[in-house]
Amino acid sequence: MPKGITREKVVEAALELLDEKGIDAVTVRALAERLDVRAPALYWHLRNKQELLDEMSTTVLRRIADVLPAPGSGWREDLAAYARVLRAEYLRHRDGARVFSGARVSDPTVVVRIKEPLYQGWTKAGFTLAEADDALDVVVAFVVGFVIEEQERLQSAETDPSRYSLAERDAGLGEQAPLVKVAGHLRDDGDERFERHLGIVLDGLAARHVRGEQSGRKRRTR
């Protein structure tokens, strides 16, 4: 094993490289150059780029577990808090949500720290375990998608300020889409948009849960 190079140092350097140049620039070769070692030295710690992304994602998830508020205020509040922490941690890194998307968590204990208390509380509150798991998955998918779009738009606008010009968009639409034009001017970005969309997701989960409870009561009374 090469001296002075640890798995933690490799991941730390990879996150720095991610912030500077983006996910596509995070390669074993580029990482080896940053650490001033030969590329084969890194294979003592990580077999390939996907395993590196898994470790980077796990590091972010550990931070999430450390700052996530303790559950207990109710399933909706728990999910909202988790969504906000996820978004904040993804936004700390360039392409942060893309790193997490499809990654495999390499440390099972961090999954236990996050999920087990939530599942225990929600199942006591009347959710089935399947419903609780689906709710968490839906919120994670929403946050990942939202932040990927958020980060892509910000980075694209930095390199091309006219990319999302509403004037150019309106001119291209012509006179056949008045409502589409108006809707384009209603768009906002950032926290307000995130909270509004998160509310829509949570409202949908709440409605589904209520329907499930009503259906269960009907079956029990037959």
Side-chain angles (χ1 to χ4, degrees):
M1 182 180 297
K3 294 182 179 180
I5 300 296
T6 65
R7 198 178 184 92
E8 291 74 20
K9 285 185 178 180
V10 172
V11 174
E12 181 181 352
L15 288 170
E16 292 173 356
L17 185 60
L18 174 73
D19 291 340
E20 292 174 12
K21 299 184 178 181
I23 191 171
D24 294 331
V26 179
T27 64
V28 173
R29 181 174 180 178
L31 194 54
E33 291 177 359
R34 174 173 288 266
L35 292 168
D36 195 25
V37 297
R38 294 179 179 274
L42 298 183
Y43 292 117
W44 283 91
H45 305 284
L46 301 158
R47 290 174 295 178
N48 50 48
K49 180 174 179 176
Q50 185 57 60
E51 190 168 313
L52 173 61
L53 294 176
D54 291 344
E55 287 298 327
M56 292 164 69
S57 176
T58 301
T59 296
V60 172
L61 202 61
R62 287 193 186 101
R63 291 203 309 254
I64 290 168
D66 288 341
V67 301
L68 190 65
S73 299
W75 70 265
R76 187 181 180 111
E77 291 75 13
D78 292 342
L79 273 174
Y82 186 46
R84 292 173 188 133
V85 170
L86 280 180
R87 176 172 176 253
E89 290 299 325
Y90 293 163
L91 288 175
R92 284 181 59 177
H93 296 289
R94 179 176 175 177
D95 295 332
R98 286 181 61 193
V99 170
F100 189 83
S101 180
R104 182 184 69 85
V105 180
S106 62
D107 179 3
T109 64
V110 74
V111 179
V112 174
R113 287 174 59 196
I114 292 173
K115 288 188 173 184
E116 190 66 22
L118 295 174
Y119 289 169
Q120 288 183 5
W122 298 350
T123 52
K124 288 179 182 178
F127 277 73
T128 66
L129 182 56
E131 288 173 336
D133 191 55
D134 280 346
L136 202 59
D137 279 351
V138 166
V139 167
V140 171
F142 158 69
V143 176
V144 169
F146 188 96
V147 177
I148 286 176
E149 175 70 11
E150 188 173 24
Q151 291 184 316
E152 289 291 341
R153 286 178 65 88
L154 286 171
Q155 292 165 21
S156 296
E158 287 175 0
T159 57
D160 181 5
S162 66
R163 178 173 174 80
Y164 300 109
S165 167
L166 287 174
E168 291 184 11
R169 179 179 181 274
D170 289 349
L173 287 170
E175 302 302 322
Q176 305 304 312
L179 296 180
V180 174
K181 283 186 179 180
V182 173
H185 289 266
L186 295 176
R187 182 188 173 98
D188 55 358
D189 291 304
D191 295 347
E192 289 186 6
R193 183 179 181 85
F194 177 79
E195 290 294 332
R196 191 169 64 253
H197 288 195
L198 175 59
I200 293 170
V201 172
L202 296 177
D203 286 347
L205 290 170
R208 185 179 181 87
H209 178 54
V210 169
R211 287 198 301 271
E213 287 186 322
Q214 291 173 342
S215 177
R217 284 195 295 269
K218 288 179 179 178
R219 287 196 298 269
R220 289 193 295 270
T221 56
R222 288 176 182 174

